[in-house]
Amino acid sequence: MPDLTLTASDGHQLNAYLSKPEGNATGAKSGIVVIQEIFGVNAHIRQDVDRFAAAGYVAIAPAIFDRIERDVSLGYTAETIEAGRTIAMALQPAGIMADVLAAAAELRSQGCTKVGIVGYCLGGTVTATAACHMSDAFDVAVAYYGGGVVGIVESGAVPKIPTVLHFGLQDPYIPVEDIDKIASAWTDCPVYRYDAHHGFHCDHRADFDAPSSDLAQERTLAFFAQHLG
């Protein structure tokens, strides 16, 4: 980091990690914006960006924490969870979404004619927001364990693009009742439930659950293939 610098619509400049299919020999015409957890664009997020590139997409992770603190890359301890939450709470929604749009615009400039978005935890909520309000920028969305998604549902917003959501049934931060509420309101969106904790997709943390992560990734890639090609 940084792999490149993006400029948002309000003039803010932020770092981003970009990965392409090897040599871009495939001539990838679809891209994916990857939205971080509260730990910044760390090794796990860069790893996921690289995985999407290996699957044939141009992938990019905007460093949305740069508006508060630059080059944040945290591990997974009680102290770093608190540090990440503090930065996340200082962010303004308008700034986050401007940075997300800057990442989508970068993929368009790279030749991508279709763009998807995927996010985890904080990024899951951001992804669900984009699905409801940024259909001009994105073609498909996949949200993992976004704690704020139920609030979006309660606001009356609905996704305007194909959207999938993944949740862990053992998640201490997202009650099963909230998951049920989301599924009942967004009936056009598959809501997958796993016998797993929060952060089950991240193999850098104790809550990683390989079977759940593998199944969620399989479903995610199939959904992207269906809507991005």
Side-chain angles (χ1 to χ4, degrees):
M1 280 284 289
D3 210 49
L4 75 165
T5 300
L6 306 178
T7 301
S9 59
D10 60 359
H12 169 68
Q13 291 192 320
L14 64 148
N15 297 332
Y17 179 73
L18 179 78
S19 189
K20 298 181 180 181
E22 187 173 353
N24 206 23
T26 61
K29 294 299 182 184
S30 295
I32 296 173
V33 176
V34 181
I35 308 298
Q36 63 179 69
E37 303 167 300
I38 60 171
F39 306 101
V41 180
N42 62 4
H44 163 57
I45 296 300
R46 294 193 297 271
Q47 176 180 292
D48 255 29
V49 171
D50 290 339
R51 284 173 176 164
F52 286 118
Y57 301 101
V58 182
I60 187 171
I64 61 175
F65 275 6
D66 275 7
R67 288 182 179 263
I68 307 301
E69 181 179 335
R70 304 191 74 84
D71 301 328
V72 174
S73 179
L74 301 174
Y76 301 92
T77 66
E79 291 77 13
T80 58
I81 289 173
E82 187 60 33
R85 284 176 176 165
T86 298
I87 298 172
M89 290 176 64
L91 289 170
Q92 297 298 314
I96 295 174
M97 303 319 291
D99 295 347
V100 170
L101 286 175
E106 176 62 28
L107 292 181
R108 302 283 183 184
S109 76
Q110 295 272 344
C112 297
T113 57
K114 291 185 177 182
V115 175
I117 182 170
V118 61
Y120 312 93
C121 185
L122 166 66
T125 300
V126 172
T127 295
T129 301
C132 294
H133 301 292
M134 294 182 170
S135 57
D136 289 344
F138 296 103
D139 299 282
V140 60
V142 177
Y144 283 74
Y145 32 82
V149 176
V150 71
I152 300 172
V153 167
E154 291 170 346
S155 77
V158 295
K160 303 298 194 302
I161 58 176
T163 300
V164 157
L165 303 104
H166 302 290
F167 292 101
L169 291 174
Q170 308 304 321
D171 192 326
Y173 308 112
I174 305 174
V176 173
E177 293 79 11
D178 284 358
I179 301 172
D180 292 341
K181 182 181 292 187
I182 294 163
S184 295
W186 290 358
T187 54
D188 290 336
C189 303
V191 177
Y192 294 114
R193 300 167 173 88
Y194 305 84
D195 186 18
H197 290 261
H198 189 81
F200 68 79
H201 178 64
C202 177
D203 58 3
H204 292 238
R205 60 195 300 176
D207 287 335
F208 173 64
D209 184 79
S212 298
S213 176
D214 289 347
L215 180 56
Q217 182 75 349
E218 179 183 328
R219 287 167 166 166
T220 293
L221 289 176
F223 199 65
F224 280 145
Q226 179 183 355
H227 296 285
L228 296 178

